[in-house]
Amino acid sequence: MSRALHPFEELVELDAEAVRSWCARSLDALGREREEIDAINVYPVADGDTGTNLYLTAEAAHQAVEAVFAASAPTPDTAETVRAMAHGALLGARGNSGTILSQLLRGMAGVLADGCDGDHLARALGEAASAARRAVAHPVEGTILTVASAAAGACAAGGGLVDVARNAHDGARTALAATSGQLDVLARAGVVDAGGRGLVTVLGALLETVTGQTPPPVTGTRVAPAPPEDCPAGDGPAYEVIYLLEAGDEAVELLRSRLDALGESLVVVGGDGLWNVHVHVDDAGAAVEAGVEAGRPHRIRITHFAADSAAASARAERAQRAVVAVVPGEGLAGLCAEAGATTVRTLPGEQPAGDELLDAIRRAHAREVVLLPNDTDLRQAAAAAAERARAEGIRVALIPTRAAVQGIAALAVHEPHRRFDEDVVAMTAAAGATRYAELAVAERQSFTSAGVCQAGDVLGLIEGDVAVIGTDLTETARTVLDRMLSAGGELVTLVVADDTPPGLAPDLEAHVRRGYLAVDTTTYHAGAGAPPLLIGVE
């Protein structure tokens, strides 16, 4: 529950309850204004999701604060609350602006943990603006960074809590109105910066918390567009890559250099061994591999930007239908994204949480969503995410795909112009007609349904059960294929990972051609982070 204030009650300190109220009010305000902020999003990528990303980041901060209150009796102290707010935002940061917002909150938390009067708030906003600029590889004026700096500058003299909050909000509003004249892309579109617009909303929620009065609405987010220029803006990178990273400071500095050379819009926030990494690149696999070399990346999210960014930025309404697919490996993520799906990446032994699935459903920005979990163990989390999405007014159909090859089969017959029910039936039938297998390497001695395996043995799993134990990857794969094709089949799908021997797929394709004349074979590359081999037989 958020702190309830009398309309004329004003605070002199941001205690734990006030921080809790600020989080709740920020979430409510961003929820109301999310679509408006999405609609003016043209920088750094015109993908229309800045409002959604800020909302999801604020939601993560709010949930972390609520968890601290639920675990504390009677009430947590302010330092614990502001640290929870910042940590939650770091874990749940989405997109460029959401990642920067998480660093702003982290910068504030470091100061507010020592005191919560007006002078501390002023210093906190100053540290937040500085920390956010340090986190961005190449700061650009006319963005959320500009608005944050203006807010900090407007209240730098300190004073009472109310005066500081009001001055910060006023300074941010003034700076926001000027952003359209600082970036050509904003001027051409006739809008102010979407990230800065969201920050004004968050500071407005802070002002409302300390005064009990609703700040005036933000106006003038759309301005007269600049005359069209002869030279169109160049195309940007194809993918947005975001992941949490467990790594030391020195490794992160090297990572910054590598990612800066790979792409743009690089933001690395966090500290104390945990970081949130955001970058736009053409080679998503290289960005993930850089994280693997630096430490332990997880919660990896790869988003394929729309080919026509101008059309995407103009998109004001939800699409009619979308597909959300959970896939291992950035190669499959790219494949599914090119087919129009919103993807959620998985790593071996690390499944996405229900919140990540719900986030993907929201990012799909559609009235109707087909959800492909592609893993038996994800059924419950996927069902819970679908139910929560339905409560938000999104029509969701969960197809119980148990493997990535079933998801590929379903996506292959997806037809967005069909009636929703007919499309779901066709996709379900295609997935159900696909038998699946996986090759894995045993990590330790264990008992299986095919006998005892030793560490290093190659395991052939058919429909989730160990059916073959071998010592050679190619030979085991042939045996698995023969067992699956003994029941018939028309199409074999092979999905190979980066670390799979390069001759494996050609060998298996030749094996099918020699022994099964009426069976076609297609091969996909899963990239890094996927099992050595996935097999589908339709």
Side-chain angles (χ1 to χ4, degrees):
M1 297 292 291
S2 61
R3 180 185 176 93
L5 293 177
H6 185 276
F8 300 102
E9 180 184 354
E10 293 185 348
L11 300 180
V12 295
E13 284 193 343
L14 273 176
D15 59 13
E17 282 287 356
V19 174
R20 185 187 194 187
S21 176
W22 178 29
C23 285
R25 284 179 163 139
S26 295
L27 183 62
D28 290 345
L30 287 170
R32 291 191 303 270
E33 299 169 17
R34 176 169 57 179
E35 292 189 359
E36 177 188 341
I37 297 172
D38 281 345
I40 63 171
N41 170 211
V42 296
Y43 182 84
V45 175
D47 52 354
D49 66 354
T50 291
T52 299
N53 287 334
L54 288 170
Y55 174 83
L56 293 170
T57 304
E59 183 179 49
H62 171 67
Q63 289 174 347
V65 168
E66 290 301 312
V68 166
F69 269 81
S72 302
T75 302
D77 61 26
T78 303
E80 184 180 10
T81 305
V82 295
R83 290 188 183 114
M85 171 186 67
H87 188 67
L90 175 68
L91 295 180
R94 301 291 195 273
N96 190 73
S97 294
T99 307
I100 294 174
L101 176 62
S102 76
Q103 187 72 348
L104 289 168
L105 295 178
R106 180 180 173 83
M108 292 186 69
V111 177
L112 293 177
D114 295 328
C116 297
D117 58 13
D119 288 337
H120 278 87
L121 177 60
R123 290 202 296 274
L125 289 167
E127 174 55 31
S130 297
R133 284 185 177 270
R134 291 193 298 269
V136 177
H138 303 285
V140 175
E141 297 306 325
T143 65
I144 186 174
L145 298 176
T146 304
V147 176
S149 295
C155 66
L161 185 68
V162 170
D163 288 338
V164 169
R166 182 172 286 117
N167 289 340
H169 184 247
D170 290 346
R173 285 170 60 100
T174 300
L176 175 67
T179 57
S180 61
Q182 294 174 288
L183 267 179
D184 288 342
V185 65
L186 301 180
R188 288 195 299 268
V191 297
V192 298
D193 180 65
R197 171 70 179 82
L199 180 58
V200 170
T201 297
V202 173
L203 292 174
L206 175 62
L207 180 60
E208 182 178 1
T209 298
V210 301
T211 65
Q213 300 176 354
T214 303
V218 179
T219 57
T221 56
R222 292 187 179 274
V223 296
E229 300 179 359
D230 294 335
C231 299
D235 294 332
Y239 296 96
E240 177 186 59
V241 179
I242 305 175
Y243 50 80
L244 290 178
L245 178 70
E246 297 175 18
D249 291 356
E250 291 185 5
V252 169
E253 284 306 310
L254 291 175
L255 175 67
R256 289 180 196 269
S257 298
R258 286 199 61 186
L259 293 181
D260 193 26
L262 281 174
E264 58 189 45
S265 297
L266 173 61
V267 185
V268 182
V269 304
D272 302 320
L274 182 63
W275 310 83
N276 194 306
V277 179
H278 170 281
V279 67
H280 295 171
V281 292
D282 282 318
D283 190 343
V288 175
E289 289 170 7
V292 172
E293 292 183 9
R296 177 178 176 266
H298 52 109
R299 295 196 186 181
I300 300 170
R301 293 187 297 276
I302 298 175
T303 302
H304 184 260
F305 293 128
D308 186 350
S309 59
S313 66
R315 180 185 60 200
E317 297 183 359
R318 289 181 180 272
Q320 181 61 33
R321 188 174 310 156
V323 176
V324 172
V326 181
V327 291
E330 77 278 356
L332 278 185
L335 174 71
C336 292
E338 289 173 5
T342 297
T343 61
V344 181
R345 277 284 315 280
T346 65
L347 291 175
E350 185 174 308
Q351 301 295 347
D355 285 347
E356 292 180 73
L357 298 178
L358 179 61
D359 171 23
I361 293 173
R362 288 166 170 164
R363 283 192 290 117
H365 203 68
R367 297 183 181 90
E368 301 168 343
V369 172
V370 180
L371 178 57
L372 305 173
N374 297 335
D375 191 323
T376 303
D377 293 337
L378 276 179
R379 288 284 299 279
Q380 290 186 346
E387 192 61 34
R388 291 173 63 187
R390 292 181 189 115
E392 297 179 8
I394 304 171
R395 189 180 183 189
V396 182
L398 171 60
I399 297 179
T401 48
R402 295 171 290 172
V405 288
Q406 290 188 325
I408 292 172
L411 192 56
V413 300
H414 167 56
E415 176 49 67
H417 301 298
R418 261 194 305 237
R419 289 179 55 246
F420 185 61
D421 292 339
E422 293 176 354
D423 198 29
V424 171
V425 168
M427 295 176 73
T428 302
T434 303
R435 304 190 300 282
Y436 63 93
E438 173 184 337
L439 264 66
V441 178
E443 296 181 354
R444 63 184 66 86
Q445 183 187 63
S446 60
F447 294 92
T448 75
S449 53
V452 179
C453 70
Q454 306 296 326
D457 281 349
V458 179
L459 307 180
L461 294 85
I462 300 178
E463 304 283 328
D465 293 324
V466 177
V468 180
I469 300 175
T471 57
D472 178 76
L473 190 67
T474 302
E475 188 59 39
T476 305
R478 287 197 203 103
T479 303
V480 169
L481 259 178
D482 289 338
R483 291 199 182 187
M484 297 181 73
L485 289 171
S486 66
E490 297 176 352
L491 174 66
V492 170
T493 300
L494 304 174
V495 182
V496 295
D498 275 355
D499 54 359
T500 301
L504 176 64
D507 183 283
L508 295 179
E509 291 173 358
H511 179 73
V512 173
R513 283 196 301 270
R514 286 193 303 267
Y516 307 92
L517 298 179
V519 179
D520 293 325
T521 306
T522 183
T523 300
Y524 299 111
H525 294 276
L533 178 66
L534 301 174
I535 302 173
V537 175
E538 299 178 49

